[in-house]
PDB file of all heavy atoms in Angstrom:
ATOM      1  N   VAL A1010     100.228  84.627 116.163  1.00 92.00           N
ATOM      2  CA  VAL A1010     101.327  85.427 116.694  1.00 92.00           C
ATOM      3  C   VAL A1010     101.996  86.161 115.529  1.00 92.00           C
ATOM      4  O   VAL A1010     101.915  85.725 114.378  1.00 92.00           O
ATOM      5  CB  VAL A1010     102.385  84.576 117.437  1.00 92.00           C
ATOM      6  CG1 VAL A1010     101.776  83.919 118.663  1.00 92.00           C
ATOM      7  CG2 VAL A1010     103.008  83.544 116.513  1.00 92.00           C
ATOM      8  N   ASP A1011     102.636  87.285 115.847  1.00 92.00           N
ATOM      9  CA  ASP A1011     103.363  88.029 114.829  1.00 92.00           C
ATOM     10  C   ASP A1011     104.770  87.464 114.664  1.00 92.00           C
ATOM     11  O   ASP A1011     105.355  86.914 115.605  1.00 92.00           O
ATOM     12  CB  ASP A1011     103.464  89.502 115.217  1.00 92.00           C
ATOM     13  CG  ASP A1011     102.117  90.199 115.184  1.00 92.00           C
ATOM     14  OD1 ASP A1011     101.262  89.778 114.370  1.00 92.00           O
ATOM     15  OD2 ASP A1011     101.915  91.158 115.955  1.00 92.00           O
ATOM     16  N   GLY A1012     105.323  87.654 113.463  1.00 93.00           N
ATOM     17  CA  GLY A1012     106.695  87.228 113.212  1.00 93.00           C
ATOM     18  C   GLY A1012     106.903  86.898 111.747  1.00 93.00           C
ATOM     19  O   GLY A1012     105.952  86.788 110.976  1.00 93.00           O
ATOM     20  N   HIS A1013     108.159  86.758 111.378  1.00 95.00           N
ATOM     21  CA  HIS A1013     108.516  86.433 110.003  1.00 95.00           C
ATOM     22  C   HIS A1013     108.729  84.929 109.887  1.00 95.00           C
ATOM     23  O   HIS A1013     109.427  84.336 110.705  1.00 95.00           O
ATOM     24  CB  HIS A1013     109.791  87.175 109.593  1.00 95.00           C
ATOM     25  CG  HIS A1013     109.695  88.654 109.765  1.00 95.00           C
ATOM     26  ND1 HIS A1013     108.997  89.453 108.893  1.00 95.00           N
ATOM     27  CD2 HIS A1013     110.196  89.478 110.725  1.00 95.00           C
ATOM     28  CE1 HIS A1013     109.079  90.711 109.292  1.00 95.00           C
ATOM     29  NE2 HIS A1013     109.794  90.751 110.406  1.00 95.00           N
ATOM     30  N   MET A1014     108.130  84.337 108.851  1.00 90.00           N
ATOM     31  CA  MET A1014     108.335  82.905 108.648  1.00 90.00           C
ATOM     32  C   MET A1014     109.091  82.609 107.365  1.00 90.00           C
ATOM     33  O   MET A1014     109.853  81.649 107.286  1.00 90.00           O
ATOM     34  CB  MET A1014     106.999  82.158 108.653  1.00 90.00           C
ATOM     35  CG  MET A1014     106.053  82.541 107.524  1.00 90.00           C
ATOM     36  SD  MET A1014     104.532  81.573 107.524  1.00 90.00           S
ATOM     37  CE  MET A1014     103.496  82.545 108.607  1.00 90.00           C
ATOM     38  N   TYR A1015     108.865  83.452 106.356  1.00 94.00           N
ATOM     39  CA  TYR A1015     109.483  83.208 105.055  1.00 94.00           C
ATOM     40  C   TYR A1015     109.447  84.520 104.283  1.00 94.00           C
ATOM     41  O   TYR A1015     108.449  85.241 104.319  1.00 94.00           O
ATOM     42  CB  TYR A1015     108.712  82.105 104.306  1.00 94.00           C
ATOM     43  CG  TYR A1015     109.477  81.457 103.183  1.00 94.00           C
ATOM     44  CD1 TYR A1015     110.666  80.779 103.419  1.00 94.00           C
ATOM     45  CD2 TYR A1015     109.008  81.505 101.872  1.00 94.00           C
ATOM     46  CE1 TYR A1015     111.371  80.167 102.388  1.00 94.00           C
ATOM     47  CE2 TYR A1015     109.703  80.900 100.832  1.00 94.00           C
ATOM     48  CZ  TYR A1015     110.884  80.242 101.100  1.00 94.00           C
ATOM     49  OH  TYR A1015     111.581  79.636 100.078  1.00 94.00           O
ATOM     50  N   SER A1016     110.529  84.833 103.574  1.00 95.00           N
ATOM     51  CA  SER A1016     110.635  86.146 102.937  1.00 95.00           C
ATOM     52  C   SER A1016     109.824  86.283 101.655  1.00 95.00           C
ATOM     53  O   SER A1016     109.959  87.280 100.944  1.00 95.00           O
ATOM     54  CB  SER A1016     112.103  86.491 102.661  1.00 95.00           C
ATOM     55  OG  SER A1016     112.765  86.798 103.877  1.00 95.00           O
ATOM     56  N   ARG A1017     108.961  85.318 101.390  1.00 95.00           N
ATOM     57  CA  ARG A1017     108.003  85.489 100.301  1.00 95.00           C
ATOM     58  C   ARG A1017     106.856  86.401 100.716  1.00 95.00           C
ATOM     59  O   ARG A1017     106.188  87.000  99.876  1.00 95.00           O
ATOM     60  CB  ARG A1017     107.437  84.134  99.851  1.00 95.00           C
ATOM     61  CG  ARG A1017     106.631  84.219  98.554  1.00 95.00           C
ATOM     62  CD  ARG A1017     106.214  82.856  98.058  1.00 95.00           C
ATOM     63  NE  ARG A1017     105.137  82.289  98.851  1.00 95.00           N
ATOM     64  CZ  ARG A1017     105.115  81.038  99.323  1.00 95.00           C
ATOM     65  NH1 ARG A1017     106.142  80.228  99.088  1.00 95.00           N
ATOM     66  NH2 ARG A1017     104.099  80.598 100.022  1.00 95.00           N
ATOM     67  N   ILE A1018     106.611  86.515 102.028  1.00 96.00           N
ATOM     68  CA  ILE A1018     105.514  87.374 102.488  1.00 96.00           C
ATOM     69  C   ILE A1018     105.955  88.459 103.469  1.00 96.00           C
ATOM     70  O   ILE A1018     105.244  89.432 103.664  1.00 96.00           O
ATOM     71  CB  ILE A1018     104.362  86.553 103.109  1.00 96.00           C
ATOM     72  CG1 ILE A1018     104.816  85.831 104.378  1.00 96.00           C
ATOM     73  CG2 ILE A1018     103.779  85.576 102.112  1.00 96.00           C
ATOM     74  CD1 ILE A1018     103.669  85.225 105.162  1.00 96.00           C
ATOM     75  N   SER A1019     107.135  88.307 104.076  1.00 97.00           N
ATOM     76  CA  SER A1019     107.620  89.356 104.972  1.00 97.00           C
ATOM     77  C   SER A1019     109.107  89.177 105.231  1.00 97.00           C
ATOM     78  O   SER A1019     109.653  88.077 105.109  1.00 97.00           O
ATOM     79  CB  SER A1019     106.850  89.355 106.306  1.00 97.00           C
ATOM     80  OG  SER A1019     107.162  88.193 107.057  1.00 97.00           O
ATOM     81  N   ASN A1020     109.742  90.289 105.581  1.00 98.00           N
ATOM     82  CA  ASN A1020     111.176  90.318 105.837  1.00 98.00           C
ATOM     83  C   ASN A1020     111.436  91.513 106.753  1.00 98.00           C
ATOM     84  O   ASN A1020     110.791  92.558 106.599  1.00 98.00           O
ATOM     85  CB  ASN A1020     111.928  90.466 104.506  1.00 98.00           C
ATOM     86  CG  ASN A1020     113.397  90.787 104.674  1.00 98.00           C
ATOM     87  OD1 ASN A1020     113.754  91.937 104.902  1.00 98.00           O
ATOM     88  ND2 ASN A1020     114.237  89.780 104.541  1.00 98.00           N
ATOM     89  N   PRO A1021     112.345  91.424 107.708  1.00 98.00           N
ATOM     90  CA  PRO A1021     112.542  92.525 108.653  1.00 98.00           C
ATOM     91  C   PRO A1021     112.924  93.853 108.015  1.00 98.00           C
ATOM     92  O   PRO A1021     112.454  94.917 108.440  1.00 98.00           O
ATOM     93  CB  PRO A1021     113.669  92.013 109.557  1.00 98.00           C
ATOM     94  CG  PRO A1021     113.574  90.525 109.472  1.00 98.00           C
ATOM     95  CD  PRO A1021     113.145  90.229 108.076  1.00 98.00           C
ATOM     96  N   THR A1022     113.769  93.824 106.976  1.00 98.00           N
ATOM     97  CA  THR A1022     114.146  95.078 106.310  1.00 98.00           C
ATOM     98  C   THR A1022     112.948  95.685 105.599  1.00 98.00           C
ATOM     99  O   THR A1022     112.657  96.878 105.731  1.00 98.00           O
ATOM    100  CB  THR A1022     115.283  94.830 105.296  1.00 98.00           C
ATOM    101  OG1 THR A1022     116.371  94.184 105.946  1.00 98.00           O
ATOM    102  CG2 THR A1022     115.759  96.150 104.695  1.00 98.00           C
ATOM    103  N   VAL A1023     112.239  94.838 104.848  1.00 98.00           N
ATOM    104  CA  VAL A1023     111.074  95.319 104.109  1.00 98.00           C
ATOM    105  C   VAL A1023     110.000  95.815 105.072  1.00 98.00           C
ATOM    106  O   VAL A1023     109.325  96.819 104.820  1.00 98.00           O
ATOM    107  CB  VAL A1023     110.514  94.224 103.177  1.00 98.00           C
ATOM    108  CG1 VAL A1023     109.375  94.791 102.317  1.00 98.00           C
ATOM    109  CG2 VAL A1023     111.594  93.635 102.291  1.00 98.00           C
ATOM    110  N   ALA A1024     109.843  95.117 106.190  1.00 98.00           N
ATOM    111  CA  ALA A1024     108.818  95.493 107.170  1.00 98.00           C
ATOM    112  C   ALA A1024     109.043  96.905 107.708  1.00 98.00           C
ATOM    113  O   ALA A1024     108.088  97.660 107.936  1.00 98.00           O
ATOM    114  CB  ALA A1024     108.797  94.490 108.320  1.00 98.00           C
ATOM    115  N   CYS A1025     110.302  97.275 107.916  1.00 98.00           N
ATOM    116  CA  CYS A1025     110.593  98.632 108.392  1.00 98.00           C
ATOM    117  C   CYS A1025     110.191  99.679 107.355  1.00 98.00           C
ATOM    118  O   CYS A1025     109.676 100.748 107.695  1.00 98.00           O
ATOM    119  CB  CYS A1025     112.075  98.761 108.723  1.00 98.00           C
ATOM    120  SG  CYS A1025     112.582  97.854 110.209  1.00 98.00           S
ATOM    121  N   VAL A1026     110.421  99.363 106.090  1.00 98.00           N
ATOM    122  CA  VAL A1026     110.050 100.293 105.020  1.00 98.00           C
ATOM    123  C   VAL A1026     108.526 100.364 104.894  1.00 98.00           C
ATOM    124  O   VAL A1026     107.958 101.439 104.674  1.00 98.00           O
ATOM    125  CB  VAL A1026     110.704  99.872 103.693  1.00 98.00           C
ATOM    126  CG1 VAL A1026     110.292 100.813 102.565  1.00 98.00           C
ATOM    127  CG2 VAL A1026     112.224  99.864 103.836  1.00 98.00           C
ATOM    128  N   GLU A1027     107.859  99.235 105.052  1.00 98.00           N
ATOM    129  CA  GLU A1027     106.391  99.229 105.034  1.00 98.00           C
ATOM    130  C   GLU A1027     105.831 100.108 106.147  1.00 98.00           C
ATOM    131  O   GLU A1027     104.880 100.878 105.929  1.00 98.00           O
ATOM    132  CB  GLU A1027     105.879  97.792 105.179  1.00 98.00           C
ATOM    133  CG  GLU A1027     106.136  96.930 103.955  1.00 98.00           C
ATOM    134  CD  GLU A1027     105.880  95.447 104.188  1.00 98.00           C
ATOM    135  OE1 GLU A1027     105.915  95.007 105.357  1.00 98.00           O
ATOM    136  OE2 GLU A1027     105.661  94.723 103.197  1.00 98.00           O
ATOM    137  N   GLU A1028     106.420 100.011 107.310  1.00 98.00           N
ATOM    138  CA  GLU A1028     105.965 100.837 108.434  1.00 98.00           C
ATOM    139  C   GLU A1028     106.174 102.323 108.142  1.00 98.00           C
ATOM    140  O   GLU A1028     105.323 103.162 108.462  1.00 98.00           O
ATOM    141  CB  GLU A1028     106.718 100.435 109.701  1.00 98.00           C
ATOM    142  CG  GLU A1028     106.217 101.131 110.957  1.00 98.00           C
ATOM    143  CD  GLU A1028     106.919 100.668 112.221  1.00 98.00           C
ATOM    144  OE1 GLU A1028     107.461  99.540 112.229  1.00 98.00           O
ATOM    145  OE2 GLU A1028     106.932 101.437 113.203  1.00 98.00           O
ATOM    146  N   LYS A1029     107.302 102.653 107.496  1.00 98.00           N
ATOM    147  CA  LYS A1029     107.575 104.052 107.154  1.00 98.00           C
ATOM    148  C   LYS A1029     106.562 104.570 106.131  1.00 98.00           C
ATOM    149  O   LYS A1029     106.032 105.677 106.276  1.00 98.00           O
ATOM    150  CB  LYS A1029     108.994 104.203 106.610  1.00 98.00           C
ATOM    151  CG  LYS A1029     109.313 105.620 106.140  1.00 98.00           C
ATOM    152  CD  LYS A1029     110.793 105.784 105.782  1.00 98.00           C
ATOM    153  CE  LYS A1029     111.643 105.776 107.030  1.00 98.00           C
ATOM    154  NZ  LYS A1029     113.070 106.062 106.735  1.00 98.00           N
ATOM    155  N   ILE A1030     106.279 103.792 105.096  1.00 98.00           N
ATOM    156  CA  ILE A1030     105.331 104.220 104.069  1.00 98.00           C
ATOM    157  C   ILE A1030     103.939 104.389 104.665  1.00 98.00           C
ATOM    158  O   ILE A1030     103.230 105.349 104.350  1.00 98.00           O
ATOM    159  CB  ILE A1030     105.325 103.225 102.888  1.00 98.00           C
ATOM    160  CG1 ILE A1030     106.669 103.287 102.144  1.00 98.00           C
ATOM    161  CG2 ILE A1030     104.171 103.515 101.933  1.00 98.00           C
ATOM    162  CD1 ILE A1030     106.825 102.238 101.065  1.00 98.00           C
ATOM    163  N   ALA A1031     103.532 103.459 105.542  1.00 98.00           N
ATOM    164  CA  ALA A1031     102.234 103.589 106.209  1.00 98.00           C
ATOM    165  C   ALA A1031     102.177 104.868 107.036  1.00 98.00           C
ATOM    166  O   ALA A1031     101.163 105.580 107.032  1.00 98.00           O
ATOM    167  CB  ALA A1031     101.970 102.371 107.092  1.00 98.00           C
ATOM    168  N   ALA A1032     103.259 105.178 107.722  1.00 98.00           N
ATOM    169  CA  ALA A1032     103.302 106.400 108.539  1.00 98.00           C
ATOM    170  C   ALA A1032     103.244 107.650 107.661  1.00 98.00           C
ATOM    171  O   ALA A1032     102.566 108.625 107.992  1.00 98.00           O
ATOM    172  CB  ALA A1032     104.568 106.416 109.397  1.00 98.00           C
ATOM    173  N   LEU A1033     103.941 107.630 106.537  1.00 98.00           N
ATOM    174  CA  LEU A1033     103.930 108.781 105.629  1.00 98.00           C
ATOM    175  C   LEU A1033     102.526 109.050 105.089  1.00 98.00           C
ATOM    176  O   LEU A1033     102.108 110.197 104.959  1.00 98.00           O
ATOM    177  CB  LEU A1033     104.900 108.552 104.475  1.00 98.00           C
ATOM    178  CG  LEU A1033     106.394 108.669 104.803  1.00 98.00           C
ATOM    179  CD1 LEU A1033     107.244 108.122 103.663  1.00 98.00           C
ATOM    180  CD2 LEU A1033     106.767 110.124 105.088  1.00 98.00           C
ATOM    181  N   GLU A1034     101.788 107.986 104.785  1.00 98.00           N
ATOM    182  CA  GLU A1034     100.438 108.135 104.231  1.00 98.00           C
ATOM    183  C   GLU A1034      99.366 108.276 105.311  1.00 98.00           C
ATOM    184  O   GLU A1034      98.225 108.620 105.011  1.00 98.00           O
ATOM    185  CB  GLU A1034     100.094 106.946 103.325  1.00 98.00           C
ATOM    186  CG  GLU A1034     100.758 106.974 101.962  1.00 98.00           C
ATOM    187  CD  GLU A1034     100.168 108.021 101.029  1.00 98.00           C
ATOM    188  OE1 GLU A1034      99.300 108.806 101.475  1.00 98.00           O
ATOM    189  OE2 GLU A1034     100.577 108.068  99.857  1.00 98.00           O
ATOM    190  N   GLY A1035      99.726 107.978 106.560  1.00 98.00           N
ATOM    191  CA  GLY A1035      98.735 108.045 107.631  1.00 98.00           C
ATOM    192  C   GLY A1035      97.839 106.827 107.673  1.00 98.00           C
ATOM    193  O   GLY A1035      96.679 106.920 108.094  1.00 98.00           O
ATOM    194  N   GLY A1036      98.357 105.661 107.269  1.00 98.00           N
ATOM    195  CA  GLY A1036      97.582 104.427 107.255  1.00 98.00           C
ATOM    196  C   GLY A1036      97.889 103.525 108.429  1.00 98.00           C
ATOM    197  O   GLY A1036      98.805 103.790 109.216  1.00 98.00           O
ATOM    198  N   VAL A1037      97.125 102.429 108.527  1.00 98.00           N
ATOM    199  CA  VAL A1037      97.328 101.477 109.620  1.00 98.00           C
ATOM    200  C   VAL A1037      98.319 100.383 109.260  1.00 98.00           C
ATOM    201  O   VAL A1037      98.784  99.638 110.124  1.00 98.00           O
ATOM    202  CB  VAL A1037      95.996 100.825 110.055  1.00 98.00           C
ATOM    203  CG1 VAL A1037      95.033 101.870 110.585  1.00 98.00           C
ATOM    204  CG2 VAL A1037      95.362 100.033 108.908  1.00 98.00           C
ATOM    205  N   GLY A1038      98.641 100.274 107.981  1.00 98.00           N
ATOM    206  CA  GLY A1038      99.582  99.246 107.556  1.00 98.00           C
ATOM    207  C   GLY A1038      99.844  99.343 106.072  1.00 98.00           C
ATOM    208  O   GLY A1038      99.068  99.933 105.320  1.00 98.00           O
ATOM    209  N   ALA A1039     100.976  98.756 105.656  1.00 98.00           N
ATOM    210  CA  ALA A1039     101.343  98.771 104.241  1.00 98.00           C
ATOM    211  C   ALA A1039     101.933  97.429 103.849  1.00 98.00           C
ATOM    212  O   ALA A1039     102.446  96.682 104.697  1.00 98.00           O
ATOM    213  CB  ALA A1039     102.330  99.896 103.945  1.00 98.00           C
ATOM    214  N   LEU A1040     101.872  97.146 102.562  1.00 98.00           N
ATOM    215  CA  LEU A1040     102.461  95.938 101.998  1.00 98.00           C
ATOM    216  C   LEU A1040     103.300  96.345 100.799  1.00 98.00           C
ATOM    217  O   LEU A1040     102.782  96.906  99.839  1.00 98.00           O
ATOM    218  CB  LEU A1040     101.368  94.958 101.554  1.00 98.00           C
ATOM    219  CG  LEU A1040     101.822  93.709 100.782  1.00 98.00           C
ATOM    220  CD1 LEU A1040     102.655  92.793 101.686  1.00 98.00           C
ATOM    221  CD2 LEU A1040     100.626  92.955 100.216  1.00 98.00           C
ATOM    222  N   CYS A1041     104.595  96.087 100.850  1.00 98.00           N
ATOM    223  CA  CYS A1041     105.445  96.361  99.703  1.00 98.00           C
ATOM    224  C   CYS A1041     105.335  95.225  98.689  1.00 98.00           C
ATOM    225  O   CYS A1041     105.161  94.060  99.060  1.00 98.00           O
ATOM    226  CB  CYS A1041     106.899  96.544 100.136  1.00 98.00           C
ATOM    227  SG  CYS A1041     107.247  98.170 100.847  1.00 98.00           S
ATOM    228  N   THR A1042     105.462  95.576  97.422  1.00 98.00           N
ATOM    229  CA  THR A1042     105.349  94.603  96.336  1.00 98.00           C
ATOM    230  C   THR A1042     106.538  94.756  95.396  1.00 98.00           C
ATOM    231  O   THR A1042     107.320  95.697  95.502  1.00 98.00           O
ATOM    232  CB  THR A1042     104.040  94.809  95.547  1.00 98.00           C
ATOM    233  OG1 THR A1042     104.080  96.101  94.910  1.00 98.00           O
ATOM    234  CG2 THR A1042     102.831  94.736  96.465  1.00 98.00           C
ATOM    235  N   SER A1043     106.626  93.845  94.430  1.00 98.00           N
ATOM    236  CA  SER A1043     107.764  93.855  93.516  1.00 98.00           C
ATOM    237  C   SER A1043     107.646  94.895  92.419  1.00 98.00           C
ATOM    238  O   SER A1043     108.602  95.139  91.687  1.00 98.00           O
ATOM    239  CB  SER A1043     107.931  92.460  92.891  1.00 98.00           C
ATOM    240  OG  SER A1043     106.735  92.081  92.223  1.00 98.00           O
ATOM    241  N   SER A1044     106.480  95.523  92.261  1.00 98.00           N
ATOM    242  CA  SER A1044     106.297  96.583  91.267  1.00 98.00           C
ATOM    243  C   SER A1044     105.019  97.346  91.578  1.00 98.00           C
ATOM    244  O   SER A1044     104.165  96.879  92.344  1.00 98.00           O
ATOM    245  CB  SER A1044     106.209  96.000  89.851  1.00 98.00           C
ATOM    246  OG  SER A1044     104.995  95.288  89.679  1.00 98.00           O
ATOM    247  N   GLY A1045     104.881  98.516  90.944  1.00 98.00           N
ATOM    248  CA  GLY A1045     103.649  99.274  91.099  1.00 98.00           C
ATOM    249  C   GLY A1045     102.467  98.557  90.477  1.00 98.00           C
ATOM    250  O   GLY A1045     101.344  98.636  90.988  1.00 98.00           O
ATOM    251  N   GLN A1046     102.701  97.847  89.373  1.00 97.00           N
ATOM    252  CA  GLN A1046     101.626  97.093  88.738  1.00 97.00           C
ATOM    253  C   GLN A1046     101.089  96.015  89.675  1.00 97.00           C
ATOM    254  O   GLN A1046      99.879  95.790  89.761  1.00 97.00           O
ATOM    255  CB  GLN A1046     102.119  96.445  87.443  1.00 97.00           C
ATOM    256  CG  GLN A1046     102.312  97.409  86.290  1.00 97.00           C
ATOM    257  CD  GLN A1046     100.998  97.993  85.795  1.00 97.00           C
ATOM    258  OE1 GLN A1046     100.518  98.983  86.336  1.00 97.00           O
ATOM    259  NE2 GLN A1046     100.429  97.396  84.780  1.00 97.00           N
TER     260      GLN A1046
END
């Protein structure tokens, strides 16, 4: 099932930004990280 369990792998605020970045790039999904590296 979908949902957030712990903010080490997902968070509602971050998830919205991930969805926006995926939409901007035309992808099916995105994962935000703590740095570009």
Side-chain angles (χ1 to χ4, degrees):
V1010 296
D1011 292 330
H1013 304 284
M1014 64 177 88
Y1015 199 61
S1016 287
R1017 191 174 74 227
I1018 64 169
S1019 69
N1020 168 279
T1022 306
V1023 185
C1025 289
V1026 178
E1027 290 169 338
E1028 186 177 337
K1029 176 172 288 185
I1030 292 173
L1033 286 167
E1034 284 287 5
V1037 298
L1040 173 66
C1041 282
T1042 64
S1043 57
S1044 70
Q1046 286 293 85

